[in-house]
Amino acid sequence: MERVRCCLAVLLAFLIQRCLLVQVEVLGAIPLLLPSLLCLLGMAQGPDRGAVCGLFGGFLCLLAGCSPWVLALYPLVGGVSGAVFHNSRGFWGKWLRTVPVLAGMEVLLVVDHWMAGNRFAAALAVAWPELLLALACYPLAAVIGKAASLGRTRRV
């Protein structure tokens, strides 16, 4: 039952991201809700469930026309959050532990854009607003996680 709730939370976050948040653009970047939720899933449910939900979220994004890169990146975000930061407590403690995971994701995306032939400065110009917007989406991800009862931790 928890697996179904986790997948429903990922589906809800995906729909909010693709239907509502895509309308908001700040400095050329669109807010990403899924990475923040995947960090929460990894912290609350462990690295295995965080990675599986990340794979599900990446597959949904791939079906919506995103880069295949998210199919590898989102499971990494969920798994690393669960493996490294599984003892996080409280809203601000989890938020602070989300920062390095999302920053690492942005670093990998900058390297990906640079290797694809884009200018490094242009990739960095989009990365920092995207990171700030993803961190700003954390409260919404926390509400979705609370609604899906992800506050209960699972033994890892």
Side-chain angles (χ1 to χ4, degrees), residues 52-132:
V52 168
C53 289
L55 185 65
F56 178 62
F59 183 69
L60 288 174
C61 288
L62 185 67
L63 289 177
C66 292
S67 167
W69 183 248
V70 295
L71 200 55
L73 196 58
Y74 283 177
L76 185 65
V77 166
V80 166
S81 295
V84 178
F85 302 117
H86 63 278
N87 289 329
S88 301
R89 300 271 184 243
F91 178 85
W92 292 109
K94 290 179 182 177
W95 184 82
L96 286 173
R97 286 173 173 84
T98 301
V99 173
V101 175
L102 294 178
M105 181 185 83
E106 289 301 326
V107 166
L108 290 174
L109 285 173
V110 165
V111 170
D112 174 55
H113 289 299
W114 179 61
M115 289 176 61
N118 295 329
R119 291 189 351 241
F120 190 73
L124 277 178
V126 173
W128 73 267
E130 194 172 82
L131 173 63
L132 294 176

